[in-house]
């Protein structure tokens, strides 16, 4: 009776959109839409739609479009009402706007074209990595759950002017900057896209060239939002994604936002050599963080 209950709620509250926190099959979307007469978007579609808003560089837009195409391919047939309602709003940006005139053959051709373009991007990244090897500079990748403060830390350390805001997926584009740790040690610091629980496989495929930066880094600085009550769960999520992409570098845990937790207690079970407590927003213990990076990249 839940679907009938949802239909009544949507009717009474004049609901325009239903968002399901999970991945739905095309038939599930169609059945819910038929029952409620409201457009339905699943978790993956919502995430990809946010990506479409956040992507700024050509590479970021390319990766988002590829992920959207891969998501839309198995959902082309039998969408009935959903296709008739396409327009502005959540779940319809980017390639979604042209679904009516696209067929599977056209989408497959687009996917192949985008993958070729991304291969070129991958080659460029590989060349950049080779150049970094020749320069003998160590590379340090900042990783973490979305909205944990990675870009704020990047800006503080390198004055990089990376887009940083209190929102999900503020960073979709990898940024790298030089950072002097002391008078004779310079490293390359890399900001990466924020991870998320139940990451859609379309995302991992499309963003593989970006996520590869974590695999080739000499050190990973895992930024954790200590003020978030779910921080331990998010640590596990990030570790799972890093395992999926094959990142094996040592990890320095930077527990961030301690300014929001007066009298905080240190996280039990963490090695002090691989842990630092900071506030990127208020420049607390940043010198200690730099010293630990220096020590772990010798």
């Amino acid at each position: 009776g839940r679907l009938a209950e949802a239909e009544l709620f949507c009717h009474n509250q004049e609901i325009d959109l239903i968002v399901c926190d999970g991945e739905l099959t095309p038939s599930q979307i169609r059945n819910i839409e038929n029952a409620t007469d409201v457009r339905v978007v699943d978790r993956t579609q919502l995430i990809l739609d946010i990506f479409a808003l956040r992507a700024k560089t050509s590479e970021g837009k390319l990766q988002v479009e590829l992920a959207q195409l891969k998501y839309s391919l198995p959902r082309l047939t039998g969408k009935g009402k959903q296709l008739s309602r396409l327009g502005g709003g959540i779940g319809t940006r980017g390639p979604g706007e042209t679904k009516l005139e696209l067929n599977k053959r056209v989408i497959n051709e687009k996917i192949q074209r985008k993958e070729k373009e991304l291969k070129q991007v991958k080659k460029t990244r590989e060349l950049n990595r080779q150049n970094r090897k020749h320069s003998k500079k160590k590379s340090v990748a900042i990783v973490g759950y979305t909205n944990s403060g990675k870009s704020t830390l990047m800006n503080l350390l390198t004055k990089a002017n990376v887009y940083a805001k209190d929102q999900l997926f503020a960073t979709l584009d990898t940024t790298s900057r030089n950072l002097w740790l002391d008078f004779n040690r310079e490293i390359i610091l890399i900001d990466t896209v924020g991870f998320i629980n139940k990451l859609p496989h379309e995302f991992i495929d499309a963003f593989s060239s970006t996520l590869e930066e974590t695999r080739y880094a000499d050190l990973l600085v895992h930024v954790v939002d200590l003020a978030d009550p779910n921080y331990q769960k998010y640590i596990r999520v990030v570790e799972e994604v890093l395992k999926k992409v094959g990142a094996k570098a040592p990890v320095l845990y930077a527990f961030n936002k301690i300014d929001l937790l007066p009298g905080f207690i240190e996280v039990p079970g963490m090695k002090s050599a691989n842990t630092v407590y900071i506030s990127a927003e208020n420049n607390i213990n940043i010198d200690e963080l730099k010293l630990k990076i220096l020590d772990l990249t010798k």
Side-chain angles (χ1 to χ4, degrees):
R2 288 294 185 193
L3 202 51
E5 196 178 305
E7 188 273 328
L8 189 63
F9 181 83
C10 290
H11 177 75
N12 291 339
Q13 302 295 327
E14 297 182 349
I15 300 298
D16 299 309
L17 179 72
I18 294 171
V19 181
C20 293
D21 185 19
E23 191 161 321
L24 301 176
T25 65
S27 60
Q28 285 173 324
I29 290 174
R30 187 170 65 251
N31 291 339
I32 298 170
E33 283 188 334
N34 289 340
T36 61
D37 199 34
V38 176
R39 199 166 69 81
V40 176
V41 168
D42 69 5
R43 174 190 173 85
T44 303
Q45 199 171 350
L46 178 64
I47 291 170
L48 291 173
D49 197 67
I50 298 171
F51 287 174
L53 287 172
R54 299 282 187 263
K56 298 287 185 284
T57 66
S58 56
E59 183 189 350
K61 289 173 183 175
L62 180 64
Q63 291 174 128
V64 170
E65 189 172 358
L66 180 59
Q68 286 178 313
L69 287 166
K70 286 188 171 182
Y71 173 82
S72 66
L73 185 59
R75 290 166 172 78
L76 273 180
T77 55
K79 291 186 76 171
K81 282 188 177 180
Q82 186 173 14
L83 283 177
S84 69
R85 282 200 196 92
L86 285 172
I90 292 171
T92 62
R93 290 182 180 86
E97 294 169 346
T98 57
K99 275 181 193 167
L100 278 173
E101 67 262 21
L102 286 175
N103 56 35
K104 286 191 176 182
R105 182 181 57 80
V106 174
I107 285 192
N108 271 316
E109 286 171 1
K110 274 198 165 191
I111 287 172
Q112 286 170 14
R113 195 159 62 246
K114 299 298 172 190
E115 284 179 337
K116 275 183 186 174
E117 290 177 46
L118 272 178
K119 274 183 185 173
Q120 200 55 49
V121 170
K122 205 170 177 180
K123 281 181 185 175
T124 306
R125 284 193 181 280
E126 186 58 42
L127 281 171
N128 290 339
R129 277 195 288 269
Q130 293 300 329
N131 290 337
R132 289 205 293 264
K133 276 186 181 177
H134 290 312
S135 71
K136 306 292 184 189
K137 289 179 190 173
K138 300 280 187 178
S139 64
V140 176
I142 302 176
V143 299
Y145 204 79
T146 183
N147 206 29
S148 60
K150 300 182 303 300
S151 296
T152 303
L153 180 61
M154 179 82 171
N155 288 337
L156 177 66
L157 289 170
T158 67
K159 310 295 184 286
N161 201 27
V162 172
Y163 182 66
K165 206 167 181 180
D166 183 16
Q167 61 185 23
L168 300 180
F169 314 113
T171 303
L172 278 186
D173 308 299
T174 302
T175 306
S176 57
R177 293 287 185 275
N178 291 332
L179 170 65
W180 286 95
L181 293 173
D182 60 17
F183 291 115
N184 57 9
R185 280 291 307 283
E186 188 182 25
I187 63 163
I188 293 165
L189 197 63
I190 302 163
D191 189 19
T192 63
V193 61
F195 299 159
I196 188 169
N197 191 27
K198 294 187 285 184
L199 200 66
H201 66 269
E202 292 92 354
F203 174 96
I204 292 181
D205 290 345
F207 282 75
S208 60
S209 63
T210 302
L211 294 170
E212 264 186 359
E213 293 293 348
T214 60
R215 192 163 60 195
Y216 295 101
D218 297 294
L219 175 69
L220 302 174
V221 176
H222 183 167
V223 180
V224 179
D225 179 358
L226 196 58
D228 192 310
N230 293 312
Y231 77 88
Q232 288 182 318
K233 173 188 171 184
Y234 296 156
I235 288 173
R236 290 194 295 273
V237 168
V238 173
E239 288 174 344
E240 282 168 16
V241 176
L242 290 171
K243 190 176 177 181
K244 273 183 190 174
V245 298
K248 295 177 181 175
V251 179
L252 171 61
Y253 291 88
F255 288 98
N256 191 25
K257 307 187 186 182
I258 59 169
D259 52 307
L260 303 178
L261 295 164
F264 76 94
I265 301 169
E266 292 189 352
V267 179
M270 303 297 293
K271 292 180 182 176
S272 59
N274 290 57
T275 308
V276 62
Y277 295 87
I278 65 167
S279 168
E281 186 70 33
N282 291 297
N283 200 357
I284 299 171
N285 294 342
I286 299 303
D287 285 339
E288 184 186 346
L289 171 68
K290 287 165 83 171
L291 283 172
K292 294 213 170 186
I293 293 173
L294 184 67
D295 191 48
L296 290 167
T297 53
K298 279 179 180 174

